[in-house]
Amino acid sequence: MAAYDRGPDVRAFIISFAVTALAGAALATRKVNYQDVGYREGFAVAALGWLTTALFGSLPFILSGAIPHPVAAFFETMSGFTTTGASVIPDVEALPKGILFWRSLTHWLGGVGTVVLVVALIPSLRIAGMQFFRAEVTGPTKSKVLPRVAQTSRELYKIYLVLTLLEILALRIAGMPWFDSFIHTFGTVATGGFSNKNLSVGAYNSLAVELIIVFFMLLCGINFALHIRAMQGKPQAVWKDRETQVYLGIVLASVIFISVNLAMLMDLEPGTAIRQALFQVSSVITTTGFATADFDRWPDFSRMILVILMFVGACSGSTGGGIKVIRMMVLWKLGIRQLQKLIHPQAVIPVRIGRAVVPSEVTDSVQAFFILYIGIFIGAVLFMAGIGLDFVSALTAVAATLGNVGPGLGVVGPMTNYAGIPAAGQLLLSLCMLLGRLELFTVLVLFNPGFWRK
């Protein structure tokens, strides 16, 4: 990163590297018996590891003066590693290229997860691998796909690298400069959303660029386990997956509704309305957060659809955030089952997704997750309103950070940023990002006193 800079930013990266290396070396002196590493240790490493990574990752911003306030720098870094894309920088185009590259690289590193990367590359963790993998991979089910978790992790990163290289080349062919192609690719495959332009992707005003980014956003919003199966010669696994079908169906329906709404109430040409709707729907449901239009100025109907999509999110096992499509499907099926049981109280009605029966422990987990998610959301909205934000800004700021989306509405809209949020609010929203990225339980379990008992 320092290669892009010619000044004090080089020193900032050197000092940051030295401090991080010394801290890591100090911890490496302790001998660990990996036979003793279980699920509790896996959860602790995942949650505390992300927190520590964000702390050390904020050093270049602070030392370079790009973001001098420590809380704001921590917010920006947590936003990067959790692939949220919420920013406190009012003018990103004024930043040195080295800082911009590091800022976007945090997205790419956080996309699949630094914990999975460790499992894939360090053989000494082979015994504890599944414990870390369970704590890191998102979604209600934890499928290894391949017999060994390290093998699964390596395959995930191979696909991740392939998608990254393909998009970089595609954007370059579409006319985007090499540096910009890297920046926007990191933000796309990780569904993060950091851009090096103040107007985000809208600064290019290029249909080709937008379509390429839409394609990769939607692709990376699909379960990566299905990508592995497709690479194994089973591409039909992607299209036959029920969650993927519902996910793409939601995208299609949302684009149609918003396009009609924009054409009718904003007098946009049908082609322009479809173009804007397709990009923003894809960006929000995959929790990427790129923008080509100021959707905060859209009609209330369209804005409401986008807010709903912030909660829905992408597919399980993807780099996207949100509640996840599969959980929404399970909750819907549970509601239908409850209606059926009112008519037939004695009937045994299993919850099915496609042809598969969803185990009761999964349905219980989904219900608990949803209750906790809504409870945390309400509490955080009340806190943000209490420190001075208006209702729309407070609601969407929490929805956008808890869902790892990035931009919201009001003072945190797509053409503004989170710089005006008080430090206490930035810390709370940083916690929301972490909770959303690690799907609540991994973080909340640390607050259970029984977790720390031997």
Side-chain angles (χ1 to χ4, degrees):
M1 282 73 71
Y4 285 110
D5 298 315
R6 297 293 185 270
D9 300 303
V10 175
R11 184 179 61 182
F13 282 112
I14 293 173
I15 295 174
S16 300
F17 175 80
V19 171
T20 306
L22 288 172
L27 292 174
T29 58
R30 296 176 61 92
K31 292 185 177 180
V32 178
N33 182 6
Y34 291 105
Q35 294 280 5
D36 296 332
V37 177
Y39 292 133
R40 293 196 303 177
E41 289 77 10
F43 287 130
V45 169
L48 298 178
W50 278 84
L51 180 62
T52 305
T53 301
L55 286 169
F56 282 98
S58 65
L59 290 177
F61 294 116
I62 299 171
L63 296 174
S64 67
I67 310 177
H69 197 287
V71 173
F74 176 76
F75 176 94
E76 190 83 12
T77 312
M78 181 64 78
S79 178
F81 281 115
T82 58
T83 71
T84 302
S87 181
V88 296
I89 301 172
D91 183 10
V92 295
E93 294 180 26
L95 294 179
K97 285 188 174 181
I99 293 294
L100 286 173
F101 191 85
W102 167 244
R103 179 172 174 261
S104 291
L105 186 62
T106 59
H107 271 346
W108 194 84
L109 294 173
V112 175
T114 52
V115 176
V116 176
L117 178 63
V118 169
V119 173
L121 298 182
I122 302 180
S124 61
L125 290 181
R126 62 185 180 275
I127 297 169
M130 194 58 194
Q131 283 72 29
F132 291 109
F133 194 75
R134 282 177 58 90
E136 171 57 26
V137 177
T138 60
T141 58
K142 314 294 184 184
S143 174
K144 289 195 295 183
V145 183
L146 297 169
R148 296 179 61 181
V149 67
Q151 185 182 359
T152 300
S153 300
R154 282 192 290 269
E155 291 302 314
L156 287 172
Y157 265 92
K158 285 179 184 177
I159 293 172
Y160 200 58
L161 281 168
V162 168
L163 292 175
T164 299
L165 293 174
L166 287 176
E167 187 180 356
I168 289 171
L169 292 174
L171 289 175
R172 183 67 189 93
I173 292 171
M176 188 179 283
W178 279 114
F179 181 78
D180 296 21
S181 298
F182 273 88
I183 295 297
H184 290 89
T185 295
F186 289 165
T188 303
V189 297
T191 61
F194 278 156
S195 173
N196 61 327
K197 300 293 183 181
N198 292 327
L199 296 178
S200 189
V201 178
Y204 299 95
N205 192 26
S206 168
L207 178 60
V209 166
E210 292 171 25
L211 289 177
I212 290 169
I213 291 177
V214 164
F215 174 77
F216 281 96
M217 283 193 296
L218 294 176
L219 195 64
C220 292
I222 295 173
N223 193 325
F224 268 65
L226 297 176
H227 293 322
I228 291 179
R229 292 193 177 99
M231 294 290 288
Q232 293 172 337
K234 300 176 182 178
Q236 69 276 9
V238 177
W239 312 117
K240 290 183 177 180
D241 179 68
R242 187 59 180 158
E243 184 185 19
T244 303
Q245 293 171 357
V246 173
Y247 160 70
L248 295 177
I250 293 172
V251 171
L252 179 61
S254 300
V255 170
I256 292 173
F257 286 132
I258 291 179
S259 298
V260 172
N261 189 232
L262 294 180
M264 292 178 62
L265 298 185
M266 294 188 67
D267 295 325
L268 294 180
E269 293 292 331
T272 303
I274 294 172
R275 176 179 171 179
Q276 291 188 9
L278 175 62
F279 190 91
Q280 293 310 150
V281 167
S282 302
S283 179
V284 171
I285 195 171
T286 60
T287 70
T288 304
F290 283 138
T292 56
D294 187 0
F295 54 79
D296 195 22
R297 297 180 179 272
W298 285 2
D300 289 339
F301 178 75
S302 295
R303 295 197 305 161
M304 184 58 68
I305 290 177
L306 293 181
V307 171
I308 293 172
L309 295 179
M310 290 181 186
F311 285 92
V312 175
C315 298
S316 62
S318 71
T319 55
I323 293 175
K324 299 293 191 303
V325 172
I326 190 66
R327 287 197 181 96
M328 291 298 192
M329 293 169 63
V330 171
L331 289 168
W332 176 263
K333 293 281 187 176
L334 286 170
I336 297 298
R337 185 179 71 171
Q338 191 61 31
L339 291 175
Q340 293 174 330
K341 287 182 75 67
L342 290 175
I343 303 172
H344 306 287
Q346 304 302 320
V348 177
I349 306 172
V351 174
R352 295 179 183 273
I353 299 296
R355 296 181 180 180
V357 175
V358 181
S360 59
E361 59 267 25
V362 174
T363 59
D364 291 345
S365 174
V366 168
Q367 292 178 83
F369 179 92
F370 183 75
I371 292 170
L372 285 171
Y373 196 96
I374 298 302
I376 292 169
F377 169 76
I378 293 172
V381 169
L382 290 173
F383 181 89
M384 298 304 293
I387 62 174
L389 268 70
D390 63 273
F391 176 72
V392 171
S393 299
L395 186 146
T396 57
V398 175
T401 51
L402 190 59
N404 302 130
V405 179
L409 302 175
V411 299
V412 294
M415 297 301 147
T416 54
N417 54 66
Y418 288 72
I421 304 293
Q426 290 180 359
L427 286 174
L428 177 69
L429 294 179
S430 297
L431 176 60
C432 287
M433 295 179 206
L434 184 63
L435 285 166
R437 181 62 182 86
L438 295 181
E439 305 219 324
L440 306 187
F441 296 120
T442 304
V443 180
L444 294 179
V445 72
L446 301 183
F447 294 95
N448 185 347
F451 178 86
W452 301 100
R453 297 194 188 106
K454 291 185 178 180

